[in-house]
């Protein structure tokens, strides 16, 4: 294909199947190659021997993108944890960033309390076959109300239940160690999009606004959806991503 590649980076702790609806909607609007990555220990991605870190994922993703497409740059689109990885790419490999799409994520680091909670959750799940209560993890990720809500929550619950505890623990520890990358966004050279779910129960609106301000763009708020905005309303997210599809 001709055009700039697009890399889609997953939210935690679901695999790349979360992007199927968005890819279906985008269709012929995408002129470059599309790459989706599972996070370490999630889906088909094995756990590395290295200590957990988003930087490890960012470095590997850039290498894989370049090997797979033969292109130097891509549009990096990340939701939640995927947004953290996209910002790590922008910091460590700015020459690999043609554009940036940040969905339901934040540039600031965890508070000490939040980081400690992640580490505690990682310790609790590490030696388990998977999450203790996938449904409890899925519920706050979905903002959609009405007849579709149960179906969406059930899908996310099943997806989370597929992943081993070691992969979930690795992701929690990697996110707990991430730095504040707000200043990184000020140096991004290329089109950028910041997307929020109106009913996101995970990322506060002020974190969305801070990223948009750093990038010099207006945030796009998708009505009626939560943290997994592209999964809940792929058509609306596709429209918001238009600046990265030109």
């Amino acid at each position: 294909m001709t055009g700039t590649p697009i890399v889609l980076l997953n939210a935690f702790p679901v695999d790349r199947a979360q992007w199927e609806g968005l890819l279906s909607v985008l269709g012929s609007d995408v002129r470059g190659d599309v790459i989706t990555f599972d996070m370490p220990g999630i889906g088909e991605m094995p756990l590395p021997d290295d200590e957990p870190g988003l930087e490890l994922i960012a470095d590997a993703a850039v290498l894989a993108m370049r090997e797979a497409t033969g292109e130097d740059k891509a549009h990096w689109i990340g939701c939640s944890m995927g947004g953290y990885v996209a910002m790590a790419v922008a910091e460590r490999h700015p020459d690999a960033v043609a554009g940036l799409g940040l969905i339901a994520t934040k540039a600031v680091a965890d508070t000490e309390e939040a980081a400690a909670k992640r580490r505690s959750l990682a310790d609790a799940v590490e030696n388990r076959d998977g999450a203790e209560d996938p449904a409890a993890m899925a519920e706050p990720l979905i903002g959609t109300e009405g007849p579709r809500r149960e179906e969406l929550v059930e899908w996310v619950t099943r997806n989370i239940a597929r992943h081993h505890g070691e992969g979930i623990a690795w992701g929690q520890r990697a996110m707990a160690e991430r730095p504040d990358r707000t200043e990184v966004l000020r140096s991004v050279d290329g089109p950028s999009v910041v997307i929020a779910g109106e009913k996101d129960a995970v990322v506060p609106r002020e974190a969305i606004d801070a990223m948009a301000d750093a990038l010099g763009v207006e945030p796009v708020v998708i009505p009626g959806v939560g943290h997994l905005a592209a999964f809940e309303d792929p058509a609306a997210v596709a429209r918001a991503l238009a600046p990265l599809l030109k």
Side-chain angles (χ1 to χ4, degrees):
M1 299 179 71
T2 59
T4 304
I6 292 175
V7 181
L8 298 174
L9 299 161
N10 302 348
F12 174 87
V14 290
D15 63 28
R16 57 187 178 177
Q18 73 187 92
W19 298 113
E20 289 175 356
L22 179 63
L23 291 172
S24 177
V25 170
L26 289 176
S28 60
D29 289 340
V30 177
R31 293 180 292 174
D33 294 312
V34 179
I35 299 174
T36 57
F37 285 106
D38 284 326
M39 297 298 176
I42 300 296
E44 300 175 356
M45 186 67 71
L47 277 174
D49 295 329
D50 308 71
E51 289 296 313
L54 301 176
E55 297 77 13
L56 178 72
I57 307 173
D59 294 348
V62 170
L63 180 62
M65 179 277 292
R66 287 173 168 167
E67 289 183 344
T69 68
E71 300 289 340
D72 289 331
K73 295 184 176 185
H75 294 305
W76 298 84
I77 299 171
C79 178
S80 190
M81 181 180 179
Y84 304 156
V85 175
M87 286 181 270
V89 170
E91 179 181 58
R92 297 168 68 83
H93 306 278
D95 59 335
V97 179
L100 194 63
L102 301 174
I103 306 171
T105 188
K106 54 188 176 182
V108 295
D110 279 346
T111 63
E112 290 186 11
E113 180 182 1
K117 183 177 180 181
R118 287 192 192 278
R119 297 185 189 105
S120 178
L121 290 171
D123 291 343
V125 76
E126 185 170 28
N127 295 316
R128 294 179 177 270
D129 290 337
E132 182 176 4
D133 190 347
M137 296 179 72
E139 277 285 349
L141 301 180
I142 299 298
T144 301
E145 300 292 347
R148 289 186 64 234
R149 179 175 177 82
E150 182 177 354
E151 174 189 348
L152 295 174
V153 172
E154 285 182 358
W155 187 97
V156 176
T157 299
R158 290 195 301 270
N159 192 285
I160 293 173
R162 292 204 294 263
H163 311 310
H164 196 276
E166 289 184 359
I168 296 173
W170 198 99
Q172 289 282 24
R173 291 180 178 131
M175 289 187 286
E177 302 304 322
R178 75 186 191 282
D180 187 318
R181 289 194 164 99
T182 304
E183 290 305 310
V184 172
L185 300 183
R186 300 190 193 282
S187 62
V188 170
D189 183 18
S192 300
V193 177
V194 175
I195 299 173
E198 178 192 22
K199 297 186 176 182
D200 191 340
V202 179
V203 175
R205 177 60 190 272
E206 56 265 28
I208 294 290
D209 291 341
M211 290 191 305
D213 180 69
L215 287 165
V217 300
E218 289 293 324
V220 179
V221 180
I222 308 298
V225 303
H227 195 57
L228 298 181
F231 171 69
E232 297 178 67
D233 192 344
V237 171
R239 290 192 294 271
L241 291 172
L244 303 182
L245 305 177
K246 295 178 180 178

